Amino acid sequence: MEMLKKDIQYIKGVGPKRLSLLKKLKIYSVEDMLYHFPRDYENRSISKKIVELQPGDQTTVYGFVVGKCQSTYVRKGLNINRYLLKDATGSMTITFFNQSYMKNKFNHKDYLMLYGKVKGCPKGLEMVNPTYEVITPNETPIKEGIVPIYPSTEGLNQKQMMHIQRNIVEALENLDDYLPEDMIKKNKLCSLQFALKNIHFPTSLQQMKIAKYRLVFEELLLLQLALIKIKKKTIKQQKSIPLTMKDGIASFIQGLPFRLTSAQQNVIGEILKDLEREVPMNRLVQGDVGSGKTIVAIIALYKAVMNGCQGAFMVPTEILAEQHYTSLKQLLEPMGIRIGLLTGSLTKGRKQQLLKEIQEGQIDIIIGTHALIQETVNFHRLALVITDEQHRFGVAQRAILAEKGDNPHILVMTATPIPRTLALILYGDLDISIIDVLPPGRKEIKTHSLIIEEKERAYATAKKELALGRQAYVVCPLVEESEAIEAKAATEIKEELAATYFVDYEVGLLHGKMNSKEKETVMKLFLENKIHVLVSTTVIEVGVNVPNATMMIIENAERFGLAQLHQLRGRVGRGDFQSYCLLIHNNKSKIAKERMKIMEETTDGFIISERDLEIRGPGEFFGVRQHGLPDLKIANLFKHIKVLKKVQGQVEELLQEDPYLMLEQYPLLREKLEEKFNGFQGT
């Protein structure tokens, strides 16, 4: 196992430049590189002459570049670079869409190996955006047979990635397996050494599948064990303050200016029951956008205060903190409950005064951003901690806030709908409650998809809403390259809209490159209707409540996942007015059409999350950070649900036999689990 811990810089083929690029991919050690799995494979064992090609073929082709690149700028966001490729039997076109760096990439008479799908075009046959390699006519390319395709970064091509990976794989010898032998036999798993060699360089697709099964199994096994360990650590020998006083809860609920839904009543019942126990509550409340999670949190906080304790409510943004502060003051201050608001923008004097009041117990409920977890914040008697929009806080941040009290009860809330089967895995350390009924009277958001040529209709509709005194969001396309490019795109769209469609209105801008204060200022102006149209990147996705905003326009909607589109749509429809979501898309693919249709047909976040998971898999479904958990490197929680069930059975059996993995066959598994557990804790 020592080789796995070796620094990647000492591997042949890794110089200073490549080292910095590998670090961008979070590859620091040999083990990191080995577990940087191919995202796909291409079977290039068969190649064809150009004359043999038929539309639909997925194959390898060799040929010479003839002449220069034909470069065409069609419009903003679309450029095309074409080359002519010839072999002894004929010629074909190779086309690169939206890859400006391909202009003049090849020279006349360069000999290429291409792999891709062949399609018909007006001039005969073409390959669009193929994988390529410049080789010499007599060279046998590295990329023959079953070829791994790795996630990479600009400046690090597939040939280089393969070269580094091959140097590591060829040096793998006598690798210790941390899964015990009887588990390997029982579950028909290959050895770790076989798996790591054949996931990267299989000689057959069957070998790759055997290797993949082993690696999926081990990843899910470690995930389950680590989550159980977190849960054990959370509840082990801990005692919380039991909040047994029930006086006033029923009359408080009766006195609310609205009736609770049956789903809210059920969830509140579960929470109140948890709070009365000595064991700390660890509960996740999942509720779709607008389902009424906040009142559930308020009732739990009310119970904490009625028991002579304090409650803390942590949210991701100052705007959201202020919104919750206003809601709590209206409902709880008339009952003599003291509410405080702690955010980063407080003056030094006000902050010190507030910290003193919190420590001395003069504040009953404190609402705030991550400022709540700073060392200077000390509580008098903290019994309940609530975090809203859990995916914005890691496990570690949640734990820091919990440590401010004596094993306080913990309530975690999220508006990101997750299929229940998946939530049980991802939040293995929490009990789960679901609010799946919307409050009565809430108008359903009317959703329509429009092709890009109908864009003017979308903005004409928005102008009608603005004329009625309403407000609108315009969300910019998702750009993968960088936040800076995304910010530039948002700025350009804002300037274009301000000079054309919305010349009579105030147009604002919000993007990730702005600092917190700038973002808060813009959102405040929008909340006060001093900005009428807000052009934004996806930073608008969470925790903004502007009841007067009735129009959501999403540009290039095909670039977003369903769950994300649903979250963005949830920014409107929060007031008494009919609201609309218009999805402008520029994609005629089957999946894009299917996504748009789903969005038009349902506003149920749980149905949407199931479909999103099915279409895209969990990696994209959860975005860059998986709700405080490390990314899964090879397992797909949707596709591998059968493997997961097998793993869960194995884990149950394993822990019944040896709850702390102390038997002599488990030292390497215990060590590996500790690594995974520490990774979770630090996320």
Side-chain angles (χ1 to χ4, degrees), residues 51-88:
V51 74
E52 300 169 332
L53 297 176
Q54 296 290 328
D57 285 352
Q58 187 96 12
T59 188
T60 303
V61 177
Y62 294 88
F64 289 95
V65 173
V66 178
K68 292 182 177 180
C69 173
Q70 299 296 312
S71 189
T72 311
Y73 177 84
V74 180
R75 56 175 163 77
K76 190 175 176 182
L78 179 58
N79 59 76
I80 305 170
N81 290 298
R82 288 191 174 94
Y83 292 89
L84 185 66
L85 190 84
K86 274 193 175 184
D87 69 3

Side-chain angles (χ1 to χ4, degrees), residues 398-468:
R398 195 172 87 208
I400 292 167
L401 184 54
E403 283 164 12
K404 300 278 184 187
D406 187 15
N407 301 322
H409 298 283
I410 292 172
L411 183 63
V412 172
M413 305 200 302
T414 180
T416 305
I418 307 165
R420 190 177 179 91
T421 49
L422 205 51
L424 288 166
I425 300 152
L426 291 172
Y427 293 109
D429 59 325
L430 299 166
D431 297 311
I432 295 169
S433 295
I434 294 177
I435 304 177
D436 52 6
V437 177
L438 290 179
R442 189 174 278 273
K443 290 186 173 75
E444 194 168 280
I445 301 159
K446 291 184 178 177
T447 305
H448 304 283
S449 69
L450 304 167
I451 57 173
I452 201 158
E453 288 79 10
E454 298 175 298
K455 191 173 183 172
E456 291 208 6
R457 272 180 55 199
Y459 288 114
T461 308
K463 280 179 81 171
K464 286 178 186 173
E465 287 297 298
L466 294 176
L468 294 170

Side-chain angles (χ1 to χ4, degrees), residues 287-291 415-417 435-439 442-448 562-563 565-574 578-583 595-611:
D288 209 344
V289 174
S291 62
T416 305
I435 304 177
D436 52 6
V437 177
L438 290 179
R442 189 174 278 273
K443 290 186 173 75
E444 194 168 280
I445 301 159
K446 291 184 178 177
T447 305
H448 304 283
L562 282 173
L565 287 173
H566 179 65
Q567 283 291 303
L568 290 167
R569 174 169 62 184
R571 296 305 104 215
V572 295
R574 305 177 81 82
Q578 179 61 57
S579 291
Y580 306 87
C581 177
L582 302 180
L583 308 170
R595 280 185 192 162
M596 299 306 124
K597 192 179 176 201
I598 292 163
M599 290 298 295
E600 287 179 317
E601 286 176 351
T602 182
T603 53
D604 185 320
F606 290 94
I607 292 172
I608 286 168
S609 70
E610 292 276 6
R611 296 301 304 275

Side-chain angles (χ1 to χ4, degrees), residues 202-220:
T203 53
S204 71
L205 289 173
Q206 183 59 24
Q207 281 192 335
M208 182 273 287
K209 285 175 184 172
I210 291 166
K212 187 172 185 177
Y213 182 77
R214 152 68 201 238
L215 293 164
V216 167
F217 188 97
E218 77 170 46
E219 185 166 52
L220 293 175

Side-chain angles (χ1 to χ4, degrees), residues 234-368:
T234 308
I235 63 173
K236 144 183 110 168
Q237 307 302 319
Q238 287 185 352
K239 284 196 174 182
S240 248
I241 302 168
L243 307 177
T244 52
M245 288 278 290
K246 299 176 185 178
D247 294 354
I249 297 283
S251 58
F252 175 68
I253 292 171
Q254 269 184 338
L256 291 171
F258 47 82
R259 292 189 64 184
L260 297 176
T261 63
S262 56
Q264 285 172 317
Q265 288 171 11
N266 291 339
V267 170
I268 287 163
E270 290 169 341
I271 291 167
L272 296 181
K273 197 174 174 184
D274 282 353
L275 292 174
E276 288 170 16
R277 297 165 62 210
E278 283 190 344
V279 176
M281 171 175 75
N282 275 283
R283 186 167 289 278
L284 167 73
V285 174
Q286 262 190 273
D288 209 344
V289 174
S291 62
K293 296 182 299 302
T294 306
I295 191 60
V296 168
I298 289 171
I299 292 166
L301 289 164
Y302 178 77
K303 186 172 174 77
V305 177
M306 289 299 99
N307 281 266
C309 298
Q310 291 171 300
F313 196 169
M314 184 164 73
V315 299
T317 67
E318 287 201 12
I319 287 285
L320 192 54
E322 285 172 10
Q323 287 173 0
H324 283 328
Y325 177 63
T326 304
S327 301
L328 266 74
K329 274 171 74 78
Q330 285 172 351
L331 287 170
L332 300 176
E333 270 197 349
M335 310 181 77
I337 294 172
R338 299 158 298 184
I339 319 286
L341 175 66
L342 180 64
T343 60
S345 62
L346 286 181
T347 62
K348 191 178 178 184
R350 177 65 193 118
K351 188 177 180 182
Q352 285 177 342
Q353 177 63 28
L354 189 60
L355 291 175
K356 184 173 180 284
E357 290 169 357
I358 295 167
Q359 190 164 3
E360 292 175 358
Q362 293 169 36
I363 296 283
D364 301 310
I365 297 170
I366 185 70
I367 299 154

